[in-house]
Amino acid sequence: MTNRCIFCRIIAGQAEASIVYRDEFVTAFMDIRPINPGHLLVVPNRHASNLGEVDDNVGGHMFVVGRKLASALRHSELRCDGVNLFVADGAVAGQTVFHSHLHVVPRRAGDGFGFHFPPGYTRGTSRADLDAVAAKVRAVLD
Ligand code: AMP
Ligand code: ZN
């Protein structure tokens, strides 16, 4: 718990939030600036600035709860034609609140949200390049 962290304060009941789900490991509440109505955040109860600091079991559980909430959104009366689950990990990845969290975003056709691709993005690359990159990632896996 850090006093300066808005998500820690929400979890401690010291800042207001519209809570949808809570268990021993995570809390889910409405994002204050929703992309669409129903936009939720799944947040570890214990402070972790980034994904690397989240315990493995809690990280896995964030996804379990994210799936449960995605299903709830699809079955709710909210409009939900699809769902994005995403994590911004690091400032350059778009993280603005440094208490790691999983976004659960209900999508509507034509809502205008989406990733944009950089200039020069190409849909394909050579198998040799893919294999070389795969080797670099494998080299540092535990
Ligand atoms: P990110 O940019 O991935 O770090 O996402 C942070 C999210 O937290 C943004 O979508 C904000 O709208 C949301 N947010 C910030 N402060 C609050 C708050 N007090 N209650 C609920 N959501 C918040
Ligand atoms: Zn925190």
Side-chain angles (χ1 to χ4, degrees):
M1 160 78 188
T2 76
N3 237 353
R4 276 166 304 167
C5 173
I6 180 62
F7 288 176
C8 280
R9 279 192 274 130
I10 286 172
I11 288 158
Q14 294 166 2
E16 69 175 0
S18 300
I19 292 177
V20 165
Y21 177 86
R22 176 157 213 164
D23 65 26
E24 190 184 344
F25 300 110
V26 300
T27 301
F29 50 85
M30 307 314 303
D31 193 297
I32 205 166
R33 281 183 290 276
I35 290 164
N36 284 315
H39 180 173
L40 286 154
L41 302 173
V42 182
V43 179
N45 291 340
R46 199 167 91 189
H47 183 85
S49 310
N50 55 56
L51 265 187
E53 290 181 4
V54 177
D55 288 345
D56 278 351
N57 65 320
V58 176
H61 190 60
M62 286 167 72
F63 191 77
V64 169
V65 172
R67 283 189 62 204
K68 189 195 285 277
L69 294 172
S71 173
L73 288 170
R74 284 179 180 275
H75 289 96
S76 74
E77 65 183 48
L78 295 165
R79 181 164 164 208
C80 179
D81 306 328
V83 178
N84 280 122
L85 298 183
F86 76 87
V87 175
D89 194 41
V92 295
Q95 186 174 4
T96 59
V97 174
F98 290 86
H99 180 138
S100 196
H101 50 278
L102 173 68
H103 291 260
V104 183
V105 184
R107 298 298 309 278
R108 303 172 166 194
D111 63 18
F113 177 69
F115 293 108
H116 68 265
F117 295 95
Y121 171 78
T122 55
R123 294 202 171 268
T125 184
S126 70
R127 180 57 54 196
D129 282 350
L130 292 172
D131 285 345
V133 172
K136 288 180 182 168
V137 179
R138 276 200 310 270
V140 293
L141 276 178
D142 294 333

